[in-house]
């Protein structure tokens, strides 16, 4: 079974703080993704990575950065948190390439920015 | 037009009946199609994937794909209260670099 863990289930931060969300997977998957999920907007891709030290912008990268120093770990960084970044953040992983790339999700981090 | 469209619901179905969830997509060259189930407050979990036209059955779940109509559906037979959740349709393009695009989800409620 793929196991994807995220550092916190719930997080409360203040406006302007630097926030780190961490995702760790134990299945040696090459691909890792960060999404945010908001009511009525569905899942939106923030950043993804196909390999160590590699990153690609998703659909809504503004205000975020990422780091992938090791294959199993993918961090999402909010450089200066704002209230509009209050959301559910989901990490996902998938293996290899080709058409049958199924994504497996972590439990999510519900972030509230005050 | 959204890339992946689903009726947001809620869709209310009596226990034991068939629940039918629908999804349309805009990119004609899409190759991979997924259905995820998401319980309230939880993360999505993959329940079905389908890659070729026709039906694919797994237990009480059947995924149906019609690429000509750009339409994918999920049927849940003998619906149970535990099937009450939001169902996300996801679509991926043909290349290894293609991203998965998720729909906003359909909320399904099974009434006893």
């Amino acid at each position: 079974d793929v196991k994807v863990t995220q550092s916190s289930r719930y997080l409360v931060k203040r406006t302007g703080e630097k926030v780190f969300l961490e995702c760790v997977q134990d299945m040696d998957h090459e691909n890792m993704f960060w999404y945010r999920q908001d009511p009525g907007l569905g899942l939106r891709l923030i950043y993804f990575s196909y390999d160590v030290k590699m990153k690609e912008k998703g659909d809504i990268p503004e205000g975020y950065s990422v780091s992938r120093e090791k294959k199993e770990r993918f961090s999402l960084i909010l450089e200066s948190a704002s209230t509009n970044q209050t959301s559910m953040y989901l990490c996902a992983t998938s293996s290899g390439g080709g058409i049958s790339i199924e994504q497996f999700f972590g439990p999510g981090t519900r972030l509230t920015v005050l | 037009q959204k890339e992946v469209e689903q009726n947001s619901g809620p869709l209310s179905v009596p226990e034991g009946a068939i629940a039918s969830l629908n999804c349309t997509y805009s990119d004609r060259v899409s190759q991979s199609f997924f259905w995820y189930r998401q319980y309230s407050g939880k993360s999505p979990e993959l329940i079905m994937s389908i890659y070729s036209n026709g039906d694919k059955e797994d237990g009480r779940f059947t995924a149906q794909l019609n690429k000509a109509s750009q339409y994918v559906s999920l049927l849940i037979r003998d619906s149970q209260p535990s099937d009450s959740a939001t169902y996300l349709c996801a679509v991926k393009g043909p290349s290894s670099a293609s991203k998965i695009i998720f729909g906003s989800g359909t909320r399904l409620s099974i009434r006893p």
Side-chain angles (χ1 to χ4, degrees):
Chain A
D1 265 3
V2 176
K3 191 163 183 186
V4 184
T5 58
Q6 294 183 229
S7 47
S8 306
R9 289 301 310 275
Y10 301 93
L11 208 52
V12 180
K13 295 292 181 181
R14 297 216 173 265
T15 301
E17 280 193 76
K18 192 168 185 175
V19 182
F20 294 87
L21 303 181
E22 195 164 71
C23 176
V24 178
Q25 51 105 353
D26 67 357
M27 288 302 292
D28 203 34
H29 282 181
E30 290 82 359
N31 311 317
M32 298 187 76
F33 308 83
W34 274 107
Y35 294 89
R36 63 178 283 177
Q37 187 176 32
D38 301 287
L41 297 177
L43 281 162
R44 292 182 290 167
L45 182 63
I46 305 171
Y47 267 97
F48 59 103
S49 169
Y50 286 144
D51 203 351
V52 176
K53 296 195 185 293
M54 177 270 179
K55 59 186 178 185
E56 293 281 347
K57 291 181 180 179
D59 300 316
I60 52 162
E62 297 78 19
Y64 303 94
S65 62
V66 290
S67 172
R68 193 165 181 201
E69 296 296 317
K70 294 184 178 181
K71 190 175 184 179
E72 68 271 18
R73 197 177 296 263
F74 192 35
S75 301
L76 179 70
I77 303 150
L78 286 65
E79 298 291 343
S80 177
S82 63
T83 54
N84 63 13
Q85 291 179 310
T86 291
S87 186
M88 169 71 93
Y89 289 88
L90 291 160
C91 173
T93 75
S94 67
S95 65
I99 69 167
S100 58
I101 302 181
E102 301 166 353
Q103 291 189 5
F104 299 89
F105 286 85
T109 295
R110 186 165 292 283
L111 173 67
T112 301
V113 182
L114 302 176
Chain B
Q1 182 191 5
K2 285 185 181 178
E3 293 178 82
V4 179
E5 293 213 52
Q6 299 180 253
N7 188 321
S8 62
L11 175 65
S12 181
V13 172
E15 185 175 354
I18 296 176
S20 178
L21 303 160
N22 305 316
C23 172
T24 58
Y25 59 95
S26 60
D27 188 348
R28 187 168 291 277
V29 298
S30 298
Q31 290 286 340
S32 309
F33 306 87
F34 309 96
W35 283 100
Y36 286 82
R37 178 177 61 201
Q38 186 174 24
Y39 292 116
S40 180
K42 303 292 186 183
S43 59
E45 61 174 317
L46 182 70
I47 54 171
M48 289 288 286
S49 56
I50 186 166
Y51 309 107
S52 53
N53 278 330
D55 294 0
K56 179 181 177 183
E57 189 175 315
D58 184 0
R60 295 186 296 112
F61 298 98
T62 299
Q64 299 176 317
L65 175 60
N66 184 328
K67 289 186 179 179
S69 300
Q70 294 175 241
Y71 177 92
V72 58
S73 64
L74 179 71
L75 302 178
I76 306 175
R77 287 183 300 282
D78 189 23
S79 297
Q80 303 296 310
S82 59
D83 295 326
S84 296
T86 296
Y87 290 80
L88 306 175
C89 172
V91 175
K92 186 184 179 302
S95 79
S96 59
S98 300
K99 294 177 290 185
I100 290 183
I101 308 296
F102 288 85
S104 299
T106 297
R107 192 154 50 97
L108 174 65
S109 175
I110 307 300
R111 57 181 190 271

